[in-house]
Amino acid sequence: MHFLASIQFIGPLVAVIKLVIGLSLLLGLFTRIGSIIGAFMMVLFYYGNAEWGQGLLNSDMMYLILLLSLVSMKAGEKMSLDSYILQKYEIENKILKKVLGL
């Protein structure tokens, strides 16, 4: 794990991915995909901090639970840019509906 942390571009890449995930959740655009990617990152952060100095239930685990609950409750289905795009353009494509999270 220390090898990955020593790579020069990992830190900026994580910051950019976190920014994109945050914007997708705030705007309601690609909400489900943003939640799934965010949950995956929280799993990596949780196990990357394997010293367990903060205990088993730390902030990474809480964010993981929050993001998984967004996925399971179909967040973004009612009031989001995802649903607005589907309603305005009357999109019936099943693949695009899955990508948008509906």
Side-chain angles (χ1 to χ4, degrees):
M1 192 59 83
H2 293 289
F3 169 72
L4 288 177
S6 66
I7 298 176
Q8 297 278 330
F9 67 90
I10 295 293
L13 181 66
V14 168
V16 169
I17 291 172
K18 286 169 66 174
L19 177 69
V20 170
I21 290 170
L23 286 175
S24 78
L25 294 177
L26 282 173
L27 295 175
L29 186 62
F30 303 112
T31 308
R32 185 164 300 160
I33 293 173
S35 299
I36 292 170
I37 293 171
F40 178 71
M41 284 185 65
M42 287 299 114
V43 168
L44 294 178
F45 291 158
Y46 184 73
Y47 287 112
N49 186 16
E51 288 128 18
W52 312 113
Q54 299 172 346
L56 292 176
L57 188 63
N58 58 15
S59 63
D60 296 332
M61 181 58 78
M62 296 305 293
Y63 284 124
L64 175 64
I65 293 168
L66 172 77
L67 290 166
L68 288 177
S69 67
L70 286 175
V71 172
S72 67
M73 289 190 274
K74 298 180 181 179
E77 195 172 272
K78 301 285 183 204
M79 295 173 46
S80 68
L81 287 177
D82 292 335
S83 63
Y84 176 75
I85 290 170
L86 288 176
Q87 289 173 359
K88 181 168 174 75
Y89 298 108
E90 297 176 3
I91 296 173
E92 296 297 327
N93 188 343
K94 291 180 181 180
I95 296 172
L96 185 59
K97 283 185 174 185
K98 289 293 182 184
V99 168
L100 289 173
L102 303 174

